Amino acid sequence: MQHHKLATIEDVAALAGVSIATVSRAINEPTKVADATRRKVAEAVARTGYTTNAMARSLRMRRSNMILILAPDVGDPNFSNILVGLETEASKRGYGLLIGNTQNDPSRETDYLRFISSNQADGLILFTGHLPYGFGQNAEETRLPPMVAVNEPVVDQPVPFVGVDNFEGARVATEHLISQGHRRIAFIGHSPGREINRVRESGYRLALESAGIAIDPRLILDGEGTTESGRAAAELMFVRDALPTAFFCVNDATALGVIIALNARRYELPRQFSVMGFDDISFASFVSPSLTTMKQPRHRMGEAAMELLLAMLAGEQPKSQKVLLRAELIVRNSVSRPNS
Amino acid sequence: MQHHKLATIEDVAALAGVSIATVSRAINEPTKVADATRRKVAEAVARTGYTTNAMARSLRMRRSNMILILAPDVGDPNFSNILVGLETEASKRGYGLLIGNTQNDPSRETDYLRFISSNQADGLILFTGHLPYGFGQNAEETRLPPMVAVNEPVVDQPVPFVGVDNFEGARVATEHLISQGHRRIAFIGHSPGREINRVRESGYRLALESAGIAIDPRLILDGEGTTESGRAAAELMFVRDALPTAFFCVNDATALGVIIALNARRYELPRQFSVMGFDDISFASFVSPSLTTMKQPRHRMGEAAMELLLAMLAGEQPKSQKVLLRAELIVRNSVSRPNS
DNA sequence: CTGAAAGCGCTAACAT
DNA sequence: ATGTTAGCGCTTTCAG
């Protein structure tokens, strides 16, 4: 563990009285070496404190055992929880994680590609929802490196994707509300353009239809996925005077806004209104009332994405271009039977 | 940007009609090369799409331009915000970040050291508060690699540290309460053993003393730094019937617990009680009333730590073993003048 | 089962 | 200002 002068494979070979080739084999293909030799080498390794020089090895083997993670915002808690899953799986398989924070800046995206093109990383995990700038132009010609998108699919590009089943999750959430006896259920959405909004709304609609409940367009409002937009949407409902008994919100931030609006109007929750979120962000359990919501399996998303990427690196064809994990219903205190 | 067969320095040299040494110089020490030659090389680089092979370069130069980040929990939002600062500074200086999630598991700590001992990382940022297991035993003999601790200092070890000035921050927080007219100010602390508890409590005491306010031991309670412990501590105050007009809490999680307890008792905040936190975690602005607190300069902590480490890597002696950044008072709605 | 030797792609010392 | 060359530490044929 000395830092100034590390032992090399030659030091070990000399000490063990064998050739460097044998040392290399003893370490990497133990079965190809005689027992006695292997023991001698092992001892020499221990005595010298030898560690394989990863640079030399990577240079020779043309792979680095590193994965580059490209994310728009490393500080986003949604990201960091998935990261833990990525790391768990990678480290289990002997891979290291290199992290690239792009801030959606094209030049930073390009910049990070140097890790790929300089052989410093073997594959790529994409959180950005688009190919890094620098690949984009000539996607057909350019041979893309092995990569997997997670959380956000890559638009218009055949990149394997691991995410959550938003359609199914929204359906389950809405059904939970229905099972409690609600029939007038609002949907407070994200921006109309967002894929996630479309899909979660579809799940909501399907659940209602399956239960034979007519869809009331006045109960469907767009938002922006933010707390403030949730608050505003709830207020709008009161202004318009088309009130639901329950709010299903496209995400927890929105749900929080709805709760704030309802609390401000001095309603008692969940007795007078039920609120359901989606995501299970960290403060979902701290709001009052604590938020019933759909939990995204973030850790498993990370693991699954890494598993998929490493399989591709090992030469396997991805079985499917899309892995969707189920969100889990988390029952807390913001949903109850309607009050009537 | 072809992935199967990358251009090497030889390809560039051949195309430009120069030697590989000249190509290397043209790229790394442009001033040492004639203008015309440099242009030829630049064009050849562009035509071939050449990128320096980082492995070969690192092997030769004996450094990787990589920094290893060792953290107990990569998913912790406190960590991830500092990470952004680390990344900003590192990437500005051409360094990459390798991330290691140890989960406080000694074997994982040791495991990640291979990145250091195999030359895959030049330095180390420590979030763990202790030397990685594997260095610990023989710290005197072992030559430690360049490293900087951030957020949490390394106990009993001369490791340069970048963190927040908790003493000063607690003093400012308490003074804010005093300036509003409070004189009976409670301190809800962390576990007694924790350094952070000791320091923040000292700041609280100094502020009171400086203002000529006697310290009332009945207003100082231990906790565990959790929401639940904050709630319990507030309850205990009511049971003991030694009530403050304001609560200064060792952190926001605790403050949240206090607010929950006060809300549950149907007090009106901040009219009847003021509550002050520390940290400015993400939901501090969402609680009702929104939390007045001290904001940790996490982004800058990351930048400062990386700056320090890179300076050490460049051979500079760290000027001081300890860099303390000031926390910033964030005024929201949980503090007002006392009610009397 | 083991050893000799080539070579991964690069930088830097030395020579011109 | 440019070229030649050694060698960073390793894995992997190819021989034996």
Side-chain angles (χ1 to χ4, degrees):
Chain A
M1 199 65 60
Q2 324 232 31
H3 191 247
H4 44 311
K5 193 55 181 170
L6 296 174
T8 76
I9 198 171
E10 299 218 43
D11 301 330
V12 176
L15 192 61
V18 298
S19 75
I20 62 169
T22 299
V23 173
S24 177
R25 285 191 206 99
I27 292 172
N28 301 309
E29 310 162 291
T31 58
K32 294 196 165 181
V33 160
D35 271 20
T37 316
R38 192 174 28 195
R39 266 195 300 280
K40 278 193 301 187
V41 170
E43 196 194 308
V45 166
R47 295 250 310 264
T48 54
Y50 169 75
T51 328
T52 302
N53 181 315
M55 295 326 191
R57 158 186 278 227
S58 294
L59 176 56
R60 175 64 224 237
M61 300 187 61
R62 301 161 163 290
R63 71 201 171 75
S64 58
N65 278 284
M66 287 280 163
I67 302 296
L68 173 63
I69 315 289
L70 230 45
D73 180 12
V74 172
D76 180 349
N78 190 38
F79 164 77
S80 46
N81 285 316
I82 298 177
L83 181 58
V84 177
L86 289 167
E87 201 273 350
T88 303
E89 183 64 22
S91 121
K92 192 191 302 178
R93 306 270 299 267
Y95 275 76
L97 253 44
L98 228 150
I99 116 125
N101 194 34
T102 68
Q103 294 162 173
N104 280 320
D105 177 343
S107 78
R108 304 207 62 190
E109 291 176 7
T110 308
D111 195 41
Y112 267 108
L113 289 184
R114 75 171 197 276
F115 287 105
I116 296 289
S117 46
S118 72
N119 276 324
Q120 224 165 158
D122 302 334
L124 194 55
I125 297 275
L126 271 184
F127 276 79
T128 52
H130 56 259
L131 289 184
Y133 190 81
F135 281 156
Q137 311 89 328
N138 257 335
E140 312 78 33
E141 305 180 11
T142 309
R143 177 88 109 261
L144 294 179
M147 60 185 175
V148 168
V150 65
N151 197 42
E152 190 101 18
V154 170
V155 290
D156 300 333
Q157 219 77 30
V159 177
F161 169 66
V162 174
V164 75
D165 191 335
N166 287 306
F167 178 79
E168 171 69 10
R171 198 176 60 74
V172 168
T174 310
E175 276 172 3
H176 176 64
L177 259 9
I178 296 171
S179 78
Q180 295 294 301
H182 293 276
R183 297 186 65 81
R184 293 191 52 74
I185 302 174
F187 177 75
I188 312 296
H190 209 297
S191 340
R194 302 262 305 207
E195 160 96 352
I196 203 171
N197 191 51
R198 220 177 36 68
V199 176
R200 290 186 182 170
E201 183 178 326
S202 306
Y204 156 84
R205 285 171 181 271
L206 179 70
L208 291 184
E209 283 162 11
S210 306
I213 302 174
I215 291 187
D216 182 346
R218 294 173 305 170
L219 293 182
I220 301 183
L221 254 49
D222 291 330
E224 293 167 2
T226 62
T227 300
E228 176 48 28
S229 77
R231 204 196 51 71
E235 282 302 323
L236 189 56
M237 290 247 157
F238 282 98
V239 172
R240 288 193 184 165
D241 205 26
L243 288 175
T245 61
F247 294 82
F248 171 42
C249 304
V250 72
N251 62 26
D252 285 356
T254 303
L256 182 62
V258 171
I259 287 179
I260 289 174
L262 262 18
N263 278 336
R265 282 176 170 268
R266 301 271 161 207
Y267 286 108
E268 194 184 315
L269 305 187
R271 197 174 58 78
Q272 296 177 285
F273 291 102
S274 288
V275 180
M276 162 85 100
F278 203 118
D279 281 354
D280 195 31
I281 55 183
S282 74
F283 61 71
S285 57
F286 296 129
V287 199
S288 175
S290 62
L291 191 61
T292 293
T293 190
M294 300 300 298
K295 175 179 182 156
Q296 296 214 33
R298 299 210 183 77
H299 193 276
R300 282 201 39 235
M301 277 169 59
E303 287 181 325
M306 186 56 69
E307 232 170 282
L308 182 54
L309 180 59
L310 296 187
M312 289 165 61
L313 251 27
E316 296 172 31
Q317 279 298 322
K319 295 179 190 58
S320 83
Q321 288 288 329
K322 212 173 195 177
V323 178
L324 292 185
L325 272 38
R326 300 175 87 95
E328 178 193 359
L329 174 66
I330 304 287
V331 175
R332 296 205 183 87
N333 301 315
S334 64
V335 171
S336 71
R337 305 194 69 80
N339 181 32
S340 64
Chain B
M1 201 63 62
Q2 324 233 31
H3 189 246
H4 43 313
K5 192 55 182 171
L6 296 174
T8 75
I9 198 171
E10 299 217 42
D11 301 329
V12 176
L15 192 61
V18 297
S19 76
I20 61 169
T22 299
V23 174
S24 178
R25 282 190 210 101
I27 292 172
N28 301 309
E29 309 162 292
T31 58
K32 295 195 164 183
V33 160
D35 271 19
T37 317
R38 194 174 37 214
R39 266 196 299 279
K40 278 193 301 186
V41 170
E43 195 193 309
V45 166
R47 295 252 309 265
T48 53
Y50 170 75
T51 328
T52 302
N53 181 313
M55 295 327 191
R57 160 186 276 227
S58 294
L59 176 58
R60 177 62 225 239
M61 300 187 63
R62 302 159 163 290
R63 71 201 172 76
S64 57
N65 278 285
M66 287 281 162
I67 302 296
L68 173 64
I69 315 288
L70 229 43
D73 180 13
V74 171
D76 179 351
N78 191 37
F79 164 78
S80 46
N81 286 316
I82 298 177
L83 180 59
V84 178
L86 289 168
E87 201 274 348
T88 304
E89 183 64 23
S91 122
K92 191 191 303 177
R93 305 270 299 268
Y95 276 76
L97 253 43
L98 228 149
I99 114 123
N101 195 34
T102 68
Q103 295 162 170
N104 280 320
D105 177 344
S107 78
R108 304 206 64 192
E109 292 177 6
T110 307
D111 195 42
Y112 268 108
L113 289 184
R114 75 171 196 276
F115 287 105
I116 296 290
S117 46
S118 72
N119 276 324
Q120 224 166 157
D122 302 335
L124 194 56
I125 296 275
L126 271 185
F127 275 80
T128 52
H130 56 259
L131 289 185
Y133 190 83
F135 281 156
Q137 312 90 328
N138 257 335
E140 311 79 33
E141 305 179 12
T142 311
R143 176 87 110 261
L144 294 179
M147 60 184 175
V148 168
V150 64
N151 198 42
E152 189 101 19
V154 170
V155 290
D156 301 333
Q157 219 77 30
V159 177
F161 169 67
V162 173
V164 74
D165 190 336
N166 287 305
F167 178 80
E168 172 69 9
R171 197 176 62 72
V172 168
T174 310
E175 275 171 4
H176 176 64
L177 258 9
I178 295 171
S179 78
Q180 295 295 301
H182 293 277
R183 297 188 64 83
R184 294 191 51 75
I185 301 174
F187 177 75
I188 312 295
H190 209 298
S191 341
R194 301 261 306 208
E195 162 95 352
I196 203 172
N197 191 52
R198 219 176 37 68
V199 176
R200 290 186 183 170
E201 183 178 326
S202 306
Y204 156 85
R205 284 172 181 269
L206 179 70
L208 291 184
E209 282 162 11
S210 307
I213 301 174
I215 292 189
D216 182 346
R218 294 173 305 170
L219 294 181
I220 301 183
L221 253 48
D222 291 331
E224 293 167 3
T226 63
T227 300
E228 176 47 28
S229 77
R231 203 197 50 71
E235 282 303 322
L236 190 55
M237 291 248 157
F238 282 98
V239 171
R240 287 194 184 165
D241 206 24
L243 288 175
T245 62
F247 294 81
F248 171 42
C249 304
V250 72
N251 62 25
D252 285 355
T254 303
L256 182 62
V258 170
I259 287 179
I260 289 174
L262 262 19
N263 279 336
R265 283 177 169 267
R266 300 272 161 207
Y267 286 108
E268 195 185 314
L269 305 188
R271 196 174 60 78
Q272 297 178 283
F273 291 102
S274 288
V275 180
M276 163 86 104
F278 203 118
D279 281 353
D280 195 31
I281 55 183
S282 73
F283 61 71
S285 58
F286 296 129
V287 200
S288 175
S290 62
L291 191 60
T292 293
T293 190
M294 300 300 298
K295 176 179 181 154
Q296 296 215 33
R298 300 210 183 78
H299 193 276
R300 282 201 38 236
M301 276 169 61
E303 287 182 325
M306 186 57 67
E307 233 170 283
L308 183 54
L309 181 59
L310 296 186
M312 289 166 60
L313 250 28
E316 297 171 31
Q317 279 300 321
K319 297 180 187 59
S320 84
Q321 288 288 330
K322 212 173 195 176
V323 178
L324 292 185
L325 272 39
R326 300 175 87 96
E328 178 193 358
L329 175 66
I330 304 288
V331 175
R332 297 206 182 86
N333 301 315
S334 64
V335 171
S336 71
R337 306 194 70 80
N339 181 33
S340 66

